[in-house]
Amino acid sequence: MLQRVLFFAGLLCGMGLLASPALHAQTHLPDTVHLHEVRVAVPRYTRYAAGARVQTVDTLLLKRQPGITLAEVLQQRSPLYLKSYGNGMLATVTFRGTSASHTAVLWNGFNIALPTLGESDFALLPPSPNTTVALQHGASGALHGTGAIGGAVVLENPVTFTPRQTVRVQQEWGSFGHSRTAASGSFSNGRLALTTAFTRTAADNDFRFRNTTAFGAPLETQQNAAFDQNSFAQELHYKLNQEQRLSVRGWYVKTHRQVQPSMGSANNHAEQDDENLRLMGEWQGQLAGGTTTVRAAWFRDQLDYREAGTPSLSLVHTYQSQVEHERQLLPHLLVQAGAEGQLFRAQVGGYGTDKEEKRFSAYSWLRYDPVPRLQLSLNVRQAWVEGFNPPLTPTLGANFQLVENPQHTLSLKGNVSRSYRVPTLNNRFWVPGGNPDLKPEAGWGYEGGLAHHVKTGGLSGTTEVTVYAQQVKDWIQWRPADRGGYPEAVNLSKVRGHGLELDTRWQYQPLPHWTLTAGLAYAYTVSRQQLPDAGARLQDRQLFYVPKHKVASWAEVRHQGWWLTADATFTGQRFTDNDNNNWLEPYALVNASLGKSFAWRSLEAQLMAQVHNLTNTVYQTMAYRAMPPRSFRLALSLQWAKANPSL
Amino acid sequence: MKLTYFKKSFLCVLAGGTLLTTSCDSNEDNAPKGAYEHGVFITNEGQFTHTNAEVSYLSRDTTTFIPELFKQVNNRPLGDAAQSMTFIGDKAYIAVNNSEKIEVVDAYTFASTGVINGLKIPRYMAALNTTKAYVTEHVGYPYLGYTGTGRVAVLDLTTNTVTKTINVGLQPEGLLLHNGLLYVANSDDNTISVINTTTDAVVASLPVGEAPKHLVLDASNKIWVLRGGYSAPGALVKIDPANNHALTTYGFAPGELGAGQLTINGAKNTLYYSYGGKVYAMSTSATAAPGTALINRNAYGLGLDPETNLLYLGVGGYNSNGWAVRYQTSGAVIDSFQVRILPNGFSFR
């Protein structure tokens, strides 16, 4: 198996590098080490993540294909495993062999996981084009709070007052009823900055597939899998004076989905409506030698599911606030302290009555560079939840530069981190079976690695290798209640894992008008719990839907307005049950796109053609959930940007 | 026996025709009709919406155990949420509730022979004869907002089709045929619906109390109903069909809640049932329900092999292999077999 993966990886590298003698610089190099770089628009916590693995995702996809969901972006650009129930259907992401609820998702500092389920559906997250997406692999309870056991997906909309006026519209058409419309605008006069983005995506998903669960394995047309999604994001930033600014951000996503039945299940014509409204305000001021930030947010998350009769409704209001202060205590010592409060108000049919839960946490982050070659971070967070207290979660991390010269830097990194996850509202309040006495899950992660940057002539690249070990205790699972007849949430199992991650990204510019970029991310993941075999002897079993091997790779050639992009992923065998009785076979998936932009004064037009699943691979990421065969898309966009007089 | 075999063989030789050879080869007394002609069949419900339902097979001498019988024989998954399995004639019928189908297999080889579609959440089956059967259907789930009635579908087993549906109470579960009448337990209701199998119409509704689940018939032709939800203690209710459906209730002690499975021994004089996460035994001549449990273990599935008089308990979680555990009727454990997810029932043949 490993040989096969390495062959595949090698093939893609070769393909990318040989495809053209030149490339362009769209790879975003990770910023994890240099203290003096922190004032630029990188996630606010990055400077406290010494020794941890934080990877920015190439957000070119978001800009080229506004409306694309995080599910699609991460499938193409990360080594994470996505469990997708169909094209546009429920999609969850796991880091390092944990589960979907062990992935924290933060939007401009706030956790946006659905508090009822404790996880995020990545098909419901189409980030606006100016969003930066960073992936923190590994436990990080001190930085990201509850749920950051396997890792965290961090979405930020950076503040910029650079004067600009742009308007962009885009229309895309595709196979199986796919259509996507996007419009966005951005304005700033140096004091006020406004950004607006609207997208609408719809698909019929009426593709053909072979139903291998039915007698005779007939070819069928996928039923009940259409969806449409509207997203509207608005940002307003206002500079009160040189020291203070106000920001307001809103993100509204409304998604209607038919719920694609699995091949073996009846089409029960289920439908799901999700409506997620997120509003936040932020004030930031440079006061008393430090930076103080106050944030408040209100989320309204509605999820309605129905098969027959009246829908099953769930509505949660989340109120959050955060206060934090950051200051440079010494020339080489940066500290941030903060506190946050959350209030959840849930109206869920299954709870019987409306429920409320309050959570608080306080944290302190510290970054210390005793010598230029060494960066240390020490972070700690303590959370308080009504009824029980999660453990204190510290993190200690370090980077050490082994080699630093104009061409190369090589750093050694290491990190030890604790994490926790508060039981979800469903875990605690569902009737019957919800268990108010559940303990929070708690985990430890240990990692070390090497990071290498090179820049010589037209070639630059960064490569990071990480090895890790982790364990999660008191993992919450549902099991048949002792009193029988219904499921009950209990702190059941303990999961141990270890693995290796490789991430390498390159750009090469051999001639002035030729650019080549390529990247590859590989994850080797072992994540196991002990379960009895047929002889009742405990055996290590790989968690279900955790592939041991996943490779994601991409390459792009740009030349005078033309670009050709290909991405390919390889996903290894995945067990579909925890006992490892059954599994899905490995598969490879290839997408490609060709684009050309035409500029005329302040107008720019782009035409792009895409092929998804180029090799027409039959694959599933969840057992018996059919995925689309080869499909095509064509997009046309128009952009108008006012020439900036100050430039 | 030997003599019989010899005679039959002799007849075959005399007949000499190739057509007859086949029937002689599958000689009932001596050659098995298939690898799985006799034994214990364990229905594994599987994870809801996951298409990993299965049937496990255990030979009575325990020398043969096949955890994934359906997939092994038919090279495809059984479906999503197997509810029950019923032997009728030479066939076995597996009701797969979230696939909304009944898979039909050869009772001896377990090879798939057909499927009955057009059902809504099929639960349990009972056969009037080898051509006509009934299956209870939930139609919808209350937790998803469904408030309509449940129903019973009438099946034509020669064509594998639904010929009629009969509306009954909410969430019909167990059913029992006796003396030309079909008794249906409406588990989200307080009644047993009685259907005339000649007219296929509901003729009576018996008020037995909250949440009737399963029914069995005892040696003196009394029908026993296990009932009980989560708001008040449940009971065993005895129905006397010969006496205008007179009801006698054997209430359970307060404290425990939740009716599970009900079965009866081969002599049809001892009831075994699961309730409140424990397994109890009660003689059909007892005057009150037992106060102490036979087995302090939560049985998701419960069965009694009428041939060997051994009790089978199905235990396990929602996302890992479960166990079929064999007990003496004294409550002493014998051994266990690792089956698949959520063993919810046992069929003996």
Side-chain angles (χ1 to χ4, degrees), chain A residues 212-213 262 264-266 305 307-308 310 478-487 532-534 578-579 581-582 624-625, chain B residues 49-51 68 71 76-77 80 98-100 112 143-145 230 257 276-277 298 316-321 323 338 340 342:
Chain A
T212 54
T213 70
S262 88
S265 308
Y305 177 89
E307 284 184 15
T310 53
W478 293 84
R479 69 161 187 208
D482 287 338
R483 288 162 71 173
Y486 59 86
D533 67 3
N578 279 327
D579 296 288
N581 299 321
N582 292 287
Y624 306 116
R625 305 280 172 164
Chain B
T49 74
H50 279 71
T51 315
E68 297 185 359
K71 193 170 190 180
R76 65 184 170 97
D80 178 4
N98 205 39
S99 296
E100 304 197 332
S112 174
Y143 73 89
L144 291 175
Y230 293 98
L257 294 170
N298 184 19
Y318 291 108
N319 40 30
S320 55
N321 285 336
W323 297 86
Q338 192 176 48
R340 288 299 176 248
L342 283 180

Side-chain angles (χ1 to χ4, degrees), chain B residues 44 86 114 123 132 137 141 162 204 221 267 272 286 297 322:
Chain B
N44 302 289
T86 311
R123 306 287 293 184
K132 185 177 180 185
E137 295 174 285
Y141 295 105
V162 177
N221 286 327
Y272 293 87
R297 192 164 188 182

Side-chain angles (χ1 to χ4, degrees), chain A residues 483, chain B residues 190 209-211 227-235 252-259 275:
Chain A
R483 288 162 71 173
Chain B
N190 301 314
E210 187 200 26
R227 69 162 188 84
Y230 293 98
S231 61
F252 299 149
E256 302 286 0
L257 294 170
Y275 183 80

Side-chain angles (χ1 to χ4, degrees), chain B residues 31-115:
Chain B
K33 288 182 171 177
Y36 316 110
E37 184 176 3
H38 300 290
V40 181
F41 298 80
I42 302 136
T43 319
N44 302 289
E45 191 169 309
Q47 268 172 299
F48 192 66
T49 74
H50 279 71
T51 315
N52 57 6
E54 250 307 342
V55 172
S56 305
Y57 170 80
L58 177 65
S59 64
R60 281 199 174 80
D61 61 8
T62 74
T63 55
T64 306
F65 174 65
I66 297 167
E68 297 185 359
L69 180 61
F70 188 90
K71 193 170 190 180
Q72 181 170 318
V73 174
N74 298 299
N75 199 29
R76 65 184 170 97
L78 172 59
D80 178 4
Q83 189 63 46
S84 64
M85 175 167 156
T86 311
F87 286 104
I88 303 168
D90 291 339
K91 302 276 168 47
Y93 295 80
I94 308 151
V96 190
N97 78 48
N98 205 39
S99 296
E100 304 197 332
K101 67 177 180 182
I102 294 173
E103 283 282 349
V104 187
V105 297
D106 184 289
Y108 310 110
T109 63
F110 227 72
S112 174
T113 65
V115 64

Side-chain angles (χ1 to χ4, degrees), chain A residues 398-430:
Chain A
N399 292 324
F400 181 70
Q401 259 155 1
L402 295 168
V403 177
E404 184 168 24
N405 62 46
Q407 275 85 46
H408 296 275
T409 57
L410 180 65
S411 331
L412 192 65
K413 56 183 192 130
N415 187 288
V416 179
S417 191
R418 200 173 190 197
S419 59
Y420 69 99
R421 184 173 80 92
V422 175
T424 66
L425 300 184
N426 283 3
N427 288 157
R428 299 188 77 199
F429 299 126
W430 195 269

Side-chain angles (χ1 to χ4, degrees), chain B residues 200-261:
Chain B
D200 286 334
V202 177
V203 292
S205 178
L206 312 176
V208 292
E210 187 200 26
K213 294 272 174 65
H214 293 286
L215 313 100
V216 292
L217 185 73
D218 73 11
S220 54
N221 286 327
K222 306 290 188 293
I223 295 168
W224 292 83
V225 182
L226 176 69
R227 69 162 188 84
Y230 293 98
S231 61
L236 279 164
V237 180
K238 185 169 73 176
I239 302 172
D240 188 352
N243 183 18
N244 199 26
H245 292 133
L247 306 176
T248 315
T249 299
Y250 301 77
F252 299 149
E256 302 286 0
L257 294 170
Q261 306 284 332

